[in-house]
Amino acid sequence: QVQLAESGGNSVQAGGSLRLSCEVSGWTDQSYCMGWFRQAPGKEREGVAGIDSNGMTSYADSVKGRFIISKDNTKNILYLQMNSLKPDDTAMYYCAIEGFRPVSMVVAVNGANAFGYWGQGTQVTVSS
């Protein structure tokens, strides 16, 4: 059974930083694509950053230069380092995993539809 568990969400002031973690268990395929997504109230779920099993990454334009996605293969943990946070970054953040596919799909329109395994989310609130 595949399980994903996010942590690290918090309330911060604009300009601050947070690091989100996503612990993955039960995934056995050596080829995969993982992503961080976010959903603000009244908005569609959007891809923030993706990484595949080869280490290729993708980022939404809105977070390029501020967020960094990485993974620790020994611990099966996905990270999202978020710097220079803005109020617009306020959302519930989710991690997801699926079999190998172009990492660009994470940040494509409706990219979330390509992922079948999700965590429960962790809330990030950025105040001005």
Side-chain angles (χ1 to χ4, degrees), residues 47 70 108 110:
S70 63
N110 296 321

PDB file of all heavy atoms in Angstrom, residues 47 70 108 110:
ATOM      1  N   GLY A  47       0.408  22.493  -9.873  1.00  0.00           N
ATOM      2  CA  GLY A  47       1.721  21.938  -9.631  1.00  0.00           C
ATOM      3  C   GLY A  47       2.717  23.023  -9.287  1.00  0.00           C
ATOM      4  O   GLY A  47       2.728  24.088  -9.904  1.00  0.00           O
ATOM      5  N   SER A  70      13.821  18.501  -3.796  1.00  0.00           N
ATOM      6  CA  SER A  70      14.903  17.525  -3.701  1.00  0.00           C
ATOM      7  C   SER A  70      14.360  16.253  -3.068  1.00  0.00           C
ATOM      8  O   SER A  70      13.240  16.252  -2.551  1.00  0.00           O
ATOM      9  CB  SER A  70      16.070  18.081  -2.871  1.00  0.00           C
ATOM     10  OG  SER A  70      15.672  18.333  -1.543  1.00  0.00           O
ATOM     11  N   ALA A 108       2.266  21.296 -15.558  1.00  0.00           N
ATOM     12  CA  ALA A 108       1.387  21.571 -16.689  1.00  0.00           C
ATOM     13  C   ALA A 108      -0.032  21.827 -16.187  1.00  0.00           C
ATOM     14  O   ALA A 108      -0.385  21.496 -15.047  1.00  0.00           O
ATOM     15  CB  ALA A 108       1.396  20.383 -17.642  1.00  0.00           C
ATOM     16  N   ASN A 110      -3.643  21.216 -15.350  1.00  0.00           N
ATOM     17  CA  ASN A 110      -4.310  19.972 -14.932  1.00  0.00           C
ATOM     18  C   ASN A 110      -3.336  18.827 -14.686  1.00  0.00           C
ATOM     19  O   ASN A 110      -3.704  17.656 -14.769  1.00  0.00           O
ATOM     20  CB  ASN A 110      -5.352  19.534 -15.967  1.00  0.00           C
ATOM     21  CG  ASN A 110      -6.484  20.536 -16.099  1.00  0.00           C
ATOM     22  OD1 ASN A 110      -6.928  21.109 -15.108  1.00  0.00           O
ATOM     23  ND2 ASN A 110      -6.939  20.758 -17.320  1.00  0.00           N
TER      24      ASN A 110
END
